[in-house]
Amino acid sequence: MHETRADLLALQALLDRSNAAAGPHLRSVFTEPRHLDAVTLTELLVGVQILNLATVSAAGRPLVAPVDGIFFRGHWYYGSSPDSVRMRHIRARPAVSASHTRGEALAVIVHGDGRIIELDAAEHATFRQLLLDTYVPVYGPGWESFAAAAQYARIDPRRLFAVAFDPIEG
């Protein structure tokens, strides 16, 4: 867990605002006892999580595909080739939606804007180190060259919902 106290407070405020603004159907399924708080959510999202990311085509059509999602400091991050369809969409039309689910036990849904980040920028040094610590042990030192050729983005969330339907393990 990499979130600071300020990150957790901001994340909890986002969760609370999102739940308050949810429509009647969502509130009927995502009932209060199922809501996850910011601390529990960040504890459950350690490491690589499959994130189903939807971007918008020039024709206004949604396209969804799985990406390696990293939840870091209250935001989802993901990478892809700079010339991938999803990154071209984000550069042109940043609106995205994404979900992470674990069967019927956990659902995390985010709506926001995809923002390209410069992985080598000083402000992203901690995130870059997290990527190295996560992927190099699995794929070897050559992964760093792969990462250098990739492009990374973060979802700046407008709404975030997180619910657990059954007891779940991290």
Side-chain angles (χ1 to χ4, degrees), residues 61-133:
R61 292 192 170 96
L63 293 176
V64 66
V67 295
D68 281 5
I70 304 276
F71 198 75
F72 177 75
R73 303 212 44 207
H75 292 79
W76 283 106
Y77 287 77
Y78 52 91
S80 190
S81 170
D83 62 351
S84 69
V85 168
R86 76 177 47 90
M87 289 304 193
R88 289 194 323 261
H89 284 180
I90 289 166
R91 285 191 296 273
R93 292 164 302 281
V96 299
S97 289
S99 66
H100 168 67
T101 58
R102 296 183 193 166
E104 294 184 0
L106 173 71
V108 181
I109 301 165
V110 62
H111 307 292
D113 293 311
R115 300 283 180 221
I116 305 295
I117 66 164
E118 296 300 325
L119 198 54
D120 289 332
E123 67 187 291
H124 299 297
T126 306
F127 176 67
R128 183 178 190 284
Q129 189 59 53
L130 174 63
L131 289 175
L132 294 172
D133 293 345

Side-chain angles (χ1 to χ4, degrees), residues 9 12 14 29 52 57 62 67 102 114 123 132 150 153 159 165 167:
L9 289 171
Q12 188 61 56
L14 173 63
V29 177
N52 296 300
S57 73
V67 295
R102 296 183 193 166
E123 67 187 291
L132 294 172
R159 293 281 184 257
F165 292 94

Side-chain angles (χ1 to χ4, degrees), residues 146-169:
F146 172 81
Q151 191 166 54
Y152 285 83
R154 173 186 72 217
I155 299 175
D156 290 338
R158 285 188 309 279
R159 293 281 184 257
L160 180 69
F161 303 96
V163 295
F165 292 94
D166 295 312
I168 53 177
E169 299 176 11

Side-chain angles (χ1 to χ4, degrees), residues 36 125 139 141:
L36 295 176
Y139 297 107

Side-chain angles (χ1 to χ4, degrees), residues 4-17 38:
T4 65
R5 179 164 167 64
D7 294 335
L8 291 171
L9 289 171
L11 180 57
Q12 188 61 56
L14 173 63
L15 288 165
D16 292 344
R17 281 192 316 274

